[in-house]
Each structure stands twice: as structure tokens, then as C-alpha cells.
Amino acid sequence: MTDLDVSGTTFGVIVGSEPAPWAGPDEAPLESRPAGTDSATAAIVGPTRVAPPLMTPPLMTLPNRATSRTRSRRLPRSLERLAGVVALFLAWELASRAGWISPDILAGPSTVLTAGADLVRSGVLIESLWASLQRVLWGMAIGIPLGTALALASGLSRLGDNLVDANIQMLRFVPIIALQPLLVVWLGVGETVKVSLIVLGVAFPIYVNTSSAMKSLDPRYLELAEVVGLKRFQLIRRVVLPGALAGFLVGLRLATAIAWLLLVFAEQINATSGIGYLMTRAQLFFQTDLIVVGLITYAALGLLSDGLVRTLERVLLRWQPGR
Amino acid sequence: MIAVTPTATTQTVPPQTVPPQTVPPQTPISQATRPRSARPLAVSARGVTRTFGGREVLRGLDLDLGPGEFVALLGRSGSGKSTFLRALAGLDDGFDGVIEVPVQRSVVFQDARLLPWATVIDNVVLGLPPLEAPLAGLAALAEVGLEDHARDWPKTLSGGEAQRVALARALVRSPDLLLLDEPFGALDALTRIRMHVLVQRLWNRHQPAVLLVTHDVDEALLLADRVLVLTDGTISLDVAVDADRPRRVGDPRLVDLRSQLLSELGVDETAEGRSPADLPHPQLPNEHLPNQQGDTQP
């Protein structure tokens, strides 16, 4: 508890200090004199003050923890958000049951749920999921090292930068999806095309974000490295790479989102397995429930992988201020 | 000693064991500040000139620093004192003239400049051989009273603590020359007083030559053996501070010296005086108005 009264005409000053267990008592003489007695700072400031009339100005009581309105919410925020989602699904279910939405247009949530459960039970969903997941995993397993290697090449040497960066900055503006015809001509219609598309889609954001993070590294840290005499290898390991980590992780998050997007695209062109194949087949028979199951699976996969990257960020960037 | 020249970095003499050789300057020496004797030197600068875009920030600056000497370099903001320190640190090779400095030297910047992604101890031992690093790092942290924070991230430190880690990082390298670039400028007044105490204690124990760049006259008088004022790109005043240690801010023996330094810096102490900008002071060009200087006019 701290009590304080300031009367109408007072100029109050609060002086505080951190405790300093490291400043031993042997140094006391240096600190014993208050800093305020310094001759230059004690000079009189401003003209002589005319005293105002001694009257209490209008006062108000500030809200505190008990009385504050912003704190006493009816419901936690997450619960409110969840309620909105539940309401939407309820309305959807109701509309389906009442026959306002035909099953050929969009199946209701309960139908989708049953269809999904059937697919899980028969093993088809798991099989398709695995086929799709494999493509993404391969694409990332190749695309991430590729993008990182290119970023290192351009970030660590001027020659590398000149050779790599100009080309990539040019290719970056070609929509990856538009490369599909060319890739099919080169690689046929098998798995290789699908994985290649994802590789390209992953490598670009990884490259762009990592290399720009390396280039925008705070020059003060490079100065420090010079002052403490870091060798080139140490400079890369201790300063450049950790400094580029945040940029790399931003690239990784973009890359995961793009990987799923390209997967959907690749699987709907010509696939004989995977979630996209499941949905394309369902489309032929107007099985909207199966299509919705596919959509939900994609969404869940996207959400899950984004969560993984976020967790990775939280762990790897725990040194960042404000985390 | 190594001679840092604009073109080459060559090690001529091992530090402090042999009196430094006279290195022939590449540009003519303007004039030495004091007669050159056989006394050992930790820093020797001869005719150092540094130009930025046609503006001469340093003009034939000469400076000698003895081993273990604590020298404060005062100057108005933009007077080139940090430029000189950066040249001594080896961070800027765009100067003319000859500078000799010890091989082992450390810098403490105004910002603590800790790598945010490395723990406190890893910041302290940055670049040291891994075998000797952990023990030396912990010992250095203990000296500044932060051994308990060794495994913490820099973001958890206060400004004063971060600057103490920076001091530990500088000292763990056992420098023969410690360069302090306004290291207390960003700290609050109370923390600054404690840092002064700490720096004196560390200097007493390790005895490096220290060059403290500051704009605080009281700080200079409190800490230094010798105070220099940098005006117009050269040392315009070089005075010894004779008062014994420990000193206090506002020590009566230093009052006259304080006034002398303030007036050399173009500050009128008396409250009723005019502001420094109004004072006629032809040899102090205002660096915020480059057009007042003849050399930058078209």
C-alpha cells in the first residue's frame, strides 16, 4: 500500500532506484553525496511563480480493479468466439433438416459427420490423407533446404548474390501454377510433377524471406563481431544465421500455406489417390457430403501445420523481446 | 602494437614489452601535443584526419595514451569524438595519418549491443576459444555482479544490467586498451552513478588504458587522469586531473577545472547567461548548419 497526498500548489518529485547488491559498501563515499546538490543543476528555472488561490480543484475517483468496467466481462473472449461458430453450424444443420438446402447443393453437418466417420472406418480417408501428406512432406523436405541453400549462397557472398538473386527475383513473378503444363511435358503426370510444384512453391518464400533477413541484419551487430574479432565461420554461426532465423520462420509459415494450396491444385488435375482425388470423384456423383469432408480435412491439415510452425517459432524465437 | 593505416595492418611490436618503435608517418606530422620521450605508449595517433563528404571531422589530430592511463575525451555532439574512437577501434579505415593501438582492445558502445539470440554468458564469451570461455566468462560476470544471470536472455535485463554485461564482455578479453563510447549516456542518473563506481573498480583491478568518450564534464572529472577537449577536429585542451581518488561530483578542487572545460565546450554556466548558440565562438562551427563552414560551400 502506498499513500500519497499532493496539495494544490506543490511540485512533487518521486525519486526511485533499483537495488544494487553489487555495489559494495567500500564505494560509499562516492555515492554519499546526493546528485541534486550539483551546482550547475541547482540553478533557478523560470520566472517567479505567482501562487494560485488555495482551493481544491474538482476531483474524480479513478476506477480500480474492483470497479473497472473493462475487466468485468460477462464471458471469456474465446467462449464468445466459439459460440459464433456453434451458432453457424446449428443454423446450417437446421436449414438442411428443414429442406431449405438440398443435399445436392450442400449436405448438412450431421450428414457430413456420418460420411466422414464411414470414410475413417473403411480406411479410405486415412489412405487418402497419407497419400496427400506424403506429397507435401516430400515437397517441403526438398523445397526448404533448396530455398535455404540459395538464400545462404546469396546472403554470404557478393558473387552468390549477383548470380542467384537476380534470377530468383525474376522467376518469383511467374505464377507457380502456370508452370504446370511445362512440368507435365518434362516429368509426365506422376507423383514427380505434384512434388515438384510444391518444391517450387516452398523454395521461393523460404528464399525471399531468409535472404532479405540476412541482408537487413542490424549493422551494429556486424560491428560488434568485428570488435570482438569473430572469424568468418563464427560470424555466420553466431550472428548471421540466428539473425536470419525470424525471417526464415516467416518464410516457413508462408511456405506451408502455399504447399497445401498447390497440393489441392495438383490433386485436382490428375490424381489417383489423395484427398483431392476423393473430392474429384465425389463431384461426379454429387456427393456434397464427401466434398465437405475433403474440405474439412484440408482445413484441419492447414491449421495443424500452421500450429506446428507457430510452436516452432515460439521455441526458436523465445529470446525475442515481447515474447 | 599494431599500426593501423589506411592501407595495411601490420603488427610491429608486441604490446607493452618493448618501447614502441617510431613508425614513419605516411602524411607529414602536424605537431605532436607533447615532446616524444621513450615512455611506453598504449595509443599513439599522429596527424589523424577524417573527411566525410568534403567535411573535415578530424583535422590532423595527435594523441598519446600511456599504458593504464584513464583519459576522457570531451566534445560537443558531432565534434568527431566518436569518429576518432571508431578509428581506434578499427571500425573505420577511411582516415589519413598513423594510429598505433594495442592488439588487445575492447569497445563498449553507448547501446549495450548484446546479441538478443544469445544468452548473457554467450554474449560475454563471444568469439573466445571455447575451452577457456565458460570459466573466464563466469568470472567476468561475477565481477560486474551478474553471475546469476548467466543463462538469461538479454531481453530480461534492465538497461544498466545490459551495460554491465557489455563491460564484462569487454574485460574478459583482458584489453590493453578499453574504448568507452558514451557508455553511460543512455542510463538513468542513479544507475549512471553506480556504473561510475563499477568502472573505476574494474579499471583499478585490470589497469587497461581507457579512452572514455563522453559529453559529460562531471563524468570526465570523476573518472579520468587526463581530460581532452576535441574542438574543430583537433585536441584543443589537454589537462591533467590532479585530485586524488575517490573523487566526488562537484569536488571543490575541481571547480575551476570544471568551469574551464565547460567554457572550452562553449557552455556558459550562469543561469542568466545567453544560450551557447548566441555566443560568438568562431572556432566552434555548429555542425547542424554545415553551410556556416567554408569548405562545404559550393
Side-chain angles (χ1 to χ4, degrees), chain A residues 230-300:
Chain A
L230 288 192
K231 310 260 185 312
R232 186 169 169 76
F233 168 73
Q234 292 174 310
L235 171 73
I236 292 168
R237 197 169 102 76
R238 299 277 176 195
V239 181
V240 179
L241 292 187
L245 186 60
F248 169 80
L249 287 170
V250 169
L252 188 60
R253 250 172 94 180
L254 279 173
T256 17
I258 291 175
W260 291 114
L261 203 71
L262 289 174
L263 175 77
V264 174
F265 171 73
E267 286 189 338
Q268 293 193 344
I269 302 296
N270 42 45
T272 51
S273 64
I275 306 286
Y277 169 67
L278 203 72
M279 289 168 73
T280 323
R281 214 182 40 179
Q283 179 197 340
L284 292 176
F285 305 104
F286 292 95
Q287 291 167 305
T288 55
D289 51 349
L290 291 188
I291 295 180
V292 175
V293 169
L295 287 177
I296 291 175
T297 313
Y298 275 140

Side-chain angles (χ1 to χ4, degrees), chain B residues 72-76 227-231 234-239 260-261 264-265:
Chain B
L73 179 62
L74 285 167
R76 309 204 327 183
V227 181
L228 314 170
V229 177
L230 186 62
T231 309
T234 52
I235 307 289
S236 64
L237 189 67
D238 181 345
V239 285
Q260 188 189 355
L261 289 170
E264 186 66 27
L265 289 162

Side-chain angles (χ1 to χ4, degrees), chain A residues 318-323, chain B residues 155:
Chain A
R318 63 194 187 281
W319 47 267
Q320 277 190 339
R323 255 175 211 275
Chain B
K155 69 171 174 180

Side-chain angles (χ1 to χ4, degrees), chain B residues 154-228:
Chain B
K155 69 171 174 180
T156 63
L157 303 177
S158 70
E161 286 171 337
Q163 203 56 287
R164 273 147 65 197
V165 174
L167 265 177
R169 179 178 62 197
L171 287 169
V172 79
R173 282 145 233 278
S174 332
D176 294 310
L177 173 64
L178 178 59
L179 298 164
L180 305 175
D181 189 1
E182 300 192 29
F184 319 120
L187 303 177
D188 68 85
L190 298 175
T191 309
R192 196 178 308 158
I193 294 171
R194 297 201 181 109
M195 288 296 282
H196 290 157
V197 174
L198 179 65
V199 162
Q200 286 191 80
R201 197 169 62 194
L202 295 173
W203 173 67
N204 269 328
R205 192 172 306 164
H206 298 272
Q207 295 290 325
V210 179
L211 184 73
L212 167 69
V213 160
T214 179
H215 52 248
D216 183 343
V217 172
D218 293 316
E219 184 173 288
L221 289 173
L222 188 67
L223 298 173
D225 297 320
R226 220 170 109 206
V227 181
L228 314 170

Side-chain angles (χ1 to χ4, degrees), chain B residues 65-295:
Chain B
L65 238 75
E69 199 179 12
F70 199 130
V71 172
L73 179 62
L74 285 167
R76 309 204 327 183
S77 65
S79 61
K81 50 193 195 303
S82 285
T83 305
F84 182 56
L85 183 134
R86 287 173 57 80
L88 291 186
L91 289 173
D92 173 22
D93 59 2
F95 60 88
D96 295 309
V98 179
I99 298 177
E100 285 180 279
V101 290
V103 178
Q104 293 296 334
R105 55 194 194 278
S106 298
V107 186
V108 178
F109 301 96
Q110 180 169 10
D111 58 314
R113 213 166 289 197
L114 305 180
L115 297 175
W117 49 77
T119 56
V120 164
I121 183 79
D122 286 344
N123 265 290
V124 170
V125 302
L126 184 68
L128 289 187
L131 275 179
E132 61 188 76
L135 280 178
L138 277 177
L141 275 177
E143 276 197 90
V144 298
L146 287 174
E147 67 272 35
D148 293 342
H149 291 271
R151 311 286 345 152
D152 291 348
W153 298 113
K155 69 171 174 180
T156 63
L157 303 177
S158 70
E161 286 171 337
Q163 203 56 287
R164 273 147 65 197
V165 174
L167 265 177
R169 179 178 62 197
L171 287 169
V172 79
R173 282 145 233 278
S174 332
D176 294 310
L177 173 64
L178 178 59
L179 298 164
L180 305 175
D181 189 1
E182 300 192 29
F184 319 120
L187 303 177
D188 68 85
L190 298 175
T191 309
R192 196 178 308 158
I193 294 171
R194 297 201 181 109
M195 288 296 282
H196 290 157
V197 174
L198 179 65
V199 162
Q200 286 191 80
R201 197 169 62 194
L202 295 173
W203 173 67
N204 269 328
R205 192 172 306 164
H206 298 272
Q207 295 290 325
V210 179
L211 184 73
L212 167 69
V213 160
T214 179
H215 52 248
D216 183 343
V217 172
D218 293 316
E219 184 173 288
L221 289 173
L222 188 67
L223 298 173
D225 297 320
R226 220 170 109 206
V227 181
L228 314 170
V229 177
L230 186 62
T231 309
D232 227 9
T234 52
I235 307 289
S236 64
L237 189 67
D238 181 345
V239 285
V241 184
D242 292 324
D244 308 329
R245 292 186 168 88
R247 302 171 192 149
R248 294 169 172 180
V249 172
D251 192 313
R253 290 167 299 176
L254 300 173
V255 168
D256 291 343
L257 188 51
R258 185 176 185 281
S259 303
Q260 188 189 355
L261 289 170
L262 281 173
S263 85
E264 186 66 27
L265 289 162
V267 179
D268 189 352
E269 299 177 75
T270 51
E272 63 272 22
R274 290 167 297 175
S275 75
D278 303 331
L279 290 171
H281 210 316
Q283 72 270 47
L284 271 178
N286 189 341
E287 72 281 350
H288 300 299
L289 299 167
N291 279 344
Q292 287 184 343
Q293 283 181 279
D295 56 352

Side-chain angles (χ1 to χ4, degrees), chain A residues 58-70:
Chain A
L59 301 177
M60 64 180 278
T61 309
L62 292 174
N64 66 10
R65 215 151 61 90
T67 58
S68 178
R69 256 184 309 147
T70 48

